[in-house]
Amino acid sequence: MDTESLDPLETLIAERACERLVVEFVRRLDLGEPGDVAELFTPDGVWEWAEGDRRIEGREALRGYFGGRPADRLSRRLCTNILVTLTSASTATASTCFTTYRVDGHRGGMLPPRLPVQVGRYEDTLRKVDGRWLLAARALFLDFGGPTERLEPAAHPRPGDARREG
């Protein structure tokens, strides 16, 4: 199908729905239940890292993968330069730049600033299924990456743990 024959308003609505899907992915991963990210993929959806052997296929496997994050992980992803390209009325691609801040061992409260642990991009294939845009495939490409820091309990006291000086 020639995308030029698509109604301009329908094109804008589809592009916006795909952009929202990209943002919803990181919102669920950082602020919601990470295992729920799987619902944003098609039943046969794929998540893979461009380098290495990490490839997860299917919603149940994705749910286990994302839901298996450490319970004490604090992460925030910043996404920008989201470029959605409709390839038909029910298919699209998207490219998104991201930066990830992440620590394990978080016990609450605000942390001092840290460098990001990842900077890269997502390359997505999206498909409209039963009127809803979903990720059919997501590939992650890292330009910068490092290990996730684990906070030491003494280095990150809970509010009220500090003794009063006096």
Side-chain angles (χ1 to χ4, degrees):
M1 173 180 216
D2 181 9
T3 56
E4 291 179 13
S5 65
L6 295 175
D7 176 284
L9 183 57
E10 289 176 5
T11 299
L12 284 173
I13 291 169
E15 289 172 347
R16 178 62 184 118
C18 291
E19 289 171 3
R20 187 171 174 86
L21 176 62
V22 168
V23 173
E24 181 64 15
F25 176 93
V26 296
R27 189 195 69 76
R28 287 187 187 192
L29 198 54
D30 289 344
L31 300 173
E33 290 295 324
D36 289 348
V37 167
E39 300 308 315
L40 302 176
F41 284 84
T42 59
D44 60 346
V46 174
W47 164 271
E48 65 183 320
W49 291 54
E51 295 181 23
D53 295 330
R54 193 178 300 182
R55 180 182 170 93
I56 297 93
E57 295 183 54
R59 266 197 195 141
E60 290 310 309
L62 289 161
R63 186 173 288 105
Y65 174 76
F66 289 112
R69 287 173 34 128
D72 61 358
R73 175 166 286 172
L74 172 66
S75 63
R76 295 294 181 266
R77 285 165 186 78
L78 306 176
C79 290
T80 187
N81 301 350
I82 302 170
L83 178 62
V84 174
T85 303
L86 238 54
T87 53
S88 76
S90 61
T91 60
T93 60
S95 180
T96 304
C97 294
F98 71 89
T99 302
T100 303
Y101 296 86
R102 180 175 60 219
V103 296
D104 288 344
H106 184 253
R107 295 173 39 193
M110 184 174 65
L111 298 174
R114 285 168 164 65
L115 292 174
V117 296
Q118 296 176 332
V119 177
R121 74 183 193 284
Y122 298 125
E123 294 292 335
D124 297 328
T125 302
L126 304 109
R127 194 166 63 226
K128 193 173 185 179
V129 178
D130 296 328
R132 182 176 172 221
W133 284 95
L134 298 170
L135 290 160
R138 169 163 276 187
L140 180 140
F141 296 84
L142 287 180
D143 299 307
F144 302 94
T148 300
E149 177 185 2
R150 170 146 290 280
L151 301 175
E152 297 299 323
H156 185 57
R158 290 183 189 197
D161 284 355
R163 295 182 186 195
R164 291 183 181 222
E165 299 286 333

